[in-house]
Amino acid sequence: MTPRSGDTELARERGITGPGVVLPETEIPEGRGMGRVRLVQIYRIGSLVLGALLLAAFVQAGFALYGSGQARDVLVNRVDPATLEQFRLTTAVTNQDAAIRDYAQDGGAGHVAQYRAAVRQEAVSAARMRRLLTGVPGRADVDRLLAKATADSRAWRTEFADEVAAGPGGQGLEPGQGRRARRLLNEARGDMTPLQAGLTRLHDRAAAKLTSRAQTAQWSTVAALVVVVVAALLLALLFRRTVLTPVSSLTGRVRAVSHGDFGHRLDVPGPAEINELAAIIDAMRTRIIEEWRASEAKTRRLDEQARALNEQTEELRRSNAELEQFAYVASHDLQEPLRKVASFCQMIERRYGDQLDERGKQYIAFAVDGAKRMQALINDLLSFSRVGRLSRPEESVDLNDVARRALDNLATLREETGAEVDVADLPEVSGDRTQFTQLFQNLVGNAIKFRREGVPPRVTIGVRRDGDEWEFGCADNGIGIEPRYADRIFLIFQRLHPRDEYTGTGIGLALCKKIVEYHGGRIWLDTGDSGGAPGTTFHWTLPVRPSTGDGADG
C-alpha cells in the first residue's frame, strides 16, 4: 500500500524520515481456535439464538395471557351477569303470581299493570340470559333448563293468569281454579332450582378455567423473565470472553511496550479482529524500534553537523571581525588619500590657475569632483553596512524628535529651495534613533532634491494606525516617479537620472528600505492614481509598541 500525500506531509512536519511502513495483509498471522471466527459472526449467531429463545418465551407468555383474558371475560362478563338475570327471572315469576292474586281479590287495575310488567321482565331476562351465554362452553344444559322454565311459566299464564287478568277482578278464586293454578306455578318455580344449579356448574367450570389460564400465564411470564436473565448473562459472558478479556490483555502488553519494553511481543488470543489489531500494533512497535535506531543514527549525524556548524560560525565570526576592520580602514585610511587628492588639486588650481587654460582647469575640477564623490560613496556604503550591525535600539523613540532633527540637518537645503515640510503628530516606536533620523532625512531630502523647476517644494509626512502597525506616508509635489520603476528605485546604486542633473550615490532609498525592514516593516512607492496631481508618495510601516494604547492619526 502506498502512503497518502497527507500522511507524508504530516510525517515530514513531525520530522519522521523514510517511507511509511504499512503491515501487508500476508503478514497478519492466521488465527487458531476462536481466532478464526470474527466478532461479527459470533454476535450474529448469538443474536439469532437469543432472539429465537426470547421470541418463543414471549409468544408463549402472550398466548397464556390471552387465554387468561378470555376466561376472565367469560366468567365476569357472561356467566356472572347470566346468574343475575336468573334471579331476576325468578323474581318476575313470583311478582306475576302476587299481582294476579291481588287482582282476583280486589280487582284493582294497577295489579294487572304490575302483572304485565312482570311478564315483560321475565321475557327480557330470559332473552338476555340466552344472549350472554352464546358461545360459552357447556351452555346447552342451561339453555334446556331455561327453555323448560319459560315453557312452564308460559303454561301457567295461559291456563290461569291470563284468564284471570282478562276477566273482572275482585271475585276471588274458585277452589278448583286455585288448586290448578298452584300446581302449574309450583312446576314453574320448581324449574328455577335446576336452572340455578346449571348456572352454578357453568360458573364453577369458568372459574376453574380462569384459574388454570392464570397459572399458565404466571408461569409463562416467569419463564420469559428467566429466559431474559439467562440471555443477559450469556451475552455478558460472551462479551467478556470475546472482547473484554482480549482487549485487557492487549492493553497490558501495549502498556509494557509504552514503558520501554520494546521487545514485548503482542500475540493476544481472541477473535480475528483482536488478532489483526494486535498484529498491526506489533508492526507499529517494530516501526518504533526502526525509527528509534534511525533517530539515533540521525542524532549522531546532527551532532557531527553541529560541530561543523560551530566551526563555520567561528569562521564567520572571524570573517565579520575582518569585515569590521575593513570598514574601519575604508572609513579612515581610504578616505585620507582621497582628501589629499582633492586638497592638492585645489592647491594646484589656486597657485597655477593663471597658468592653466580652460581645459586644464576642467580636468582639475573633474579630479576634485571624483574624489568628493568617491568619499561620499564610501560614507554611504558604510552607513548601509552598519544597518542592523552597529545599532543602539531603544524601547521608546519619539518620532517627532526624530523628524525635527532630520529637518534641522536639512535646514540649509530648505532655506535655499524655499521648501515647506508639514509633519503630523507622530507616535513613539521601538528602534534605533539614528537610523530613523537617516530614514526621514533621506526621504525628505529626496523630495526636496527632485523638485519641479520654478515650484517651491512642499512635503507632507502623515501617519495612521492599521491594526498592529503604523503606516507612514511622505508625499511631495516634485517630478514624480513612473510606476514601472517602483521596484528598481530601492536597489543599491540604481539611478533614474543622469548625475549631472541630480547629485547622489543611488544608495539613499536602498538605505531606507534596509532600515525599515530591519525594524520589522516594509516600504513601497504609491503607484495609485493621484488624479493627475504631480509628485511622489512613499509609504512605510513600523510595528506598534505593545504598551501603546492609542496613537496619532496624521
Side-chain angles (χ1 to χ4, degrees), residues 40-242:
V40 175
Q41 299 172 345
I42 296 175
Y43 284 105
R44 181 180 296 139
I45 296 173
S47 299
L48 291 176
V49 173
L50 293 178
L53 292 176
L54 291 175
L55 180 62
F58 283 115
V59 167
Q60 174 64 26
F63 277 116
L65 291 175
Y66 177 74
S68 177
Q70 283 188 324
R72 184 182 297 105
D73 179 72
V74 169
L75 179 63
V76 176
N77 297 329
R78 294 176 180 272
V79 176
D80 287 346
T83 303
L84 179 61
E85 293 300 328
Q86 187 270 330
F87 286 111
R88 290 176 179 172
L89 178 65
T90 302
T91 302
V93 173
T94 302
N95 290 337
Q96 292 176 29
D97 178 62
I100 203 64
R101 288 183 179 276
D102 290 339
Y103 176 71
Q105 293 294 331
D106 55 19
H111 298 302
V112 176
Q114 293 176 0
Y115 167 74
R116 302 295 183 193
V119 172
R120 289 194 297 272
Q121 178 63 41
E122 178 187 354
V124 170
S125 297
R128 187 172 296 172
M129 287 178 64
R130 294 187 182 92
R131 185 174 67 253
L132 289 172
L133 296 177
T134 301
V136 176
R139 62 182 286 269
D141 188 32
V142 176
D143 287 343
R144 179 180 58 78
L145 294 174
L146 177 61
K148 184 176 184 303
T150 54
D152 290 344
S153 176
R154 187 167 52 254
W156 172 75
R157 287 194 301 273
T158 302
E159 296 182 12
F160 172 69
D162 289 343
E163 293 180 359
V164 175
Q171 298 178 0
L173 295 175
E174 297 179 0
Q177 187 181 16
R179 287 191 298 271
R180 188 177 77 251
R182 186 172 298 278
R183 179 178 57 79
L184 293 174
L185 181 61
N186 288 336
E187 291 179 1
R189 287 180 175 177
D191 294 335
M192 297 301 171
T193 300
L195 177 61
Q196 185 177 1
L199 287 173
T200 302
R201 290 192 299 272
L202 193 62
H203 181 277
D204 294 341
R205 185 182 302 171
K209 186 175 182 180
L210 174 61
T211 302
S212 176
R213 293 292 179 86
Q215 291 178 350
T216 303
Q218 181 179 0
W219 286 110
S220 298
T221 303
V222 171
L225 293 177
V226 171
V227 170
V228 170
V229 173
V230 172
L233 292 176
L234 291 177
L235 185 61
L237 181 62
L238 181 65
F239 187 75
R240 178 181 178 83
R241 180 72 175 83
T242 58

Side-chain angles (χ1 to χ4, degrees), residues 353-373:
D354 54 350
Q355 301 178 16
L356 298 175
D357 57 3
E358 291 298 326
R359 185 177 294 276
K361 294 179 179 180
Q362 186 178 12
Y363 289 162
I364 292 176
F366 286 161
V368 171
D369 181 66
K372 290 181 178 180
R373 285 192 291 107

Side-chain angles (χ1 to χ4, degrees), residues 239-495:
F239 187 75
R240 178 181 178 83
R241 180 72 175 83
T242 58
V243 176
L244 294 182
T245 301
V247 170
S248 178
S249 177
L250 180 61
T251 301
R253 295 171 184 265
V254 171
R255 184 179 294 110
V257 173
S258 66
H259 288 168
D261 186 7
F262 294 108
H264 201 88
R265 293 188 58 82
L266 302 177
D267 48 348
V268 179
E273 290 87 350
I274 304 296
N275 287 338
E276 292 178 6
L277 180 61
I280 293 173
I281 297 178
D282 195 61
M284 294 172 58
R285 178 185 64 85
T286 305
R287 171 68 185 277
I288 291 173
I289 295 175
E290 294 175 356
E291 288 290 338
W292 176 70
R293 292 172 179 170
S295 177
E296 286 290 326
K298 184 177 180 181
T299 301
R300 288 193 295 271
R301 291 195 302 270
L302 289 178
D303 291 339
E304 296 175 357
Q305 293 175 0
R307 287 193 293 271
L309 184 60
N310 290 333
E311 295 176 357
Q312 293 178 1
T313 302
E314 186 64 27
E315 183 65 25
L316 287 175
R317 188 177 293 109
R318 290 194 298 268
S319 177
N320 286 335
E322 293 176 356
L323 288 176
E324 291 181 2
Q325 183 66 26
F326 171 76
Y328 176 80
V329 171
S331 62
H332 293 83
D333 298 347
L334 291 182
Q335 291 191 46
E336 183 62 27
L338 291 176
R339 283 194 295 269
K340 286 185 179 180
V341 171
S343 177
F344 279 106
C345 286
Q346 291 174 351
M347 291 175 62
I348 291 174
E349 183 180 8
R350 287 195 300 269
R351 175 170 296 186
Y352 303 105
D354 54 350
Q355 301 178 16
L356 298 175
D357 57 3
E358 291 298 326
R359 185 177 294 276
K361 294 179 179 180
Q362 186 178 12
Y363 289 162
I364 292 176
F366 286 161
V368 171
D369 181 66
K372 290 181 178 180
R373 285 192 291 107
M374 178 62 72
Q375 190 174 11
L377 182 61
I378 291 174
N379 289 330
D380 289 344
L381 284 174
L382 286 174
S383 299
F384 187 81
S385 66
R386 285 170 179 167
V387 174
R389 185 171 57 88
L390 299 177
S391 62
R392 295 186 297 275
E394 301 178 21
E395 183 66 26
S396 177
V397 177
D398 188 355
L399 294 183
N400 294 299
D401 296 339
V402 170
R404 282 193 292 271
R405 180 180 298 180
L407 294 180
D408 290 342
N409 295 339
L410 297 173
T412 302
L413 181 61
R414 289 164 53 202
E415 292 178 359
E416 291 176 355
T417 59
E420 296 182 5
V421 181
D422 296 330
V423 182
D425 186 13
L426 302 179
E428 295 182 1
V429 297
S430 301
D432 188 301
R433 186 183 301 271
T434 302
Q435 293 180 9
F436 285 148
T437 303
Q438 289 179 317
L439 172 65
F440 280 86
Q441 184 173 333
N442 283 343
L443 291 175
V444 176
N446 282 349
I448 297 175
K449 180 170 64 175
F450 295 101
R451 61 188 178 275
R452 288 181 293 155
E453 188 69 26
V455 178
R458 182 174 180 83
V459 184
T460 303
I461 298 178
V463 63
R464 71 179 184 89
R465 180 154 182 181
D466 184 11
D468 294 335
E469 292 181 331
W470 294 109
E471 182 178 328
F472 299 86
C474 180
D476 61 56
N477 61 345
I479 61 176
I481 300 176
E482 296 184 17
R484 58 177 174 167
Y485 300 124
D487 295 329
R488 177 182 172 186
I489 58 176
F490 292 106
L491 300 178
I492 192 170
F493 299 135
Q494 295 297 316
R495 299 176 57 90

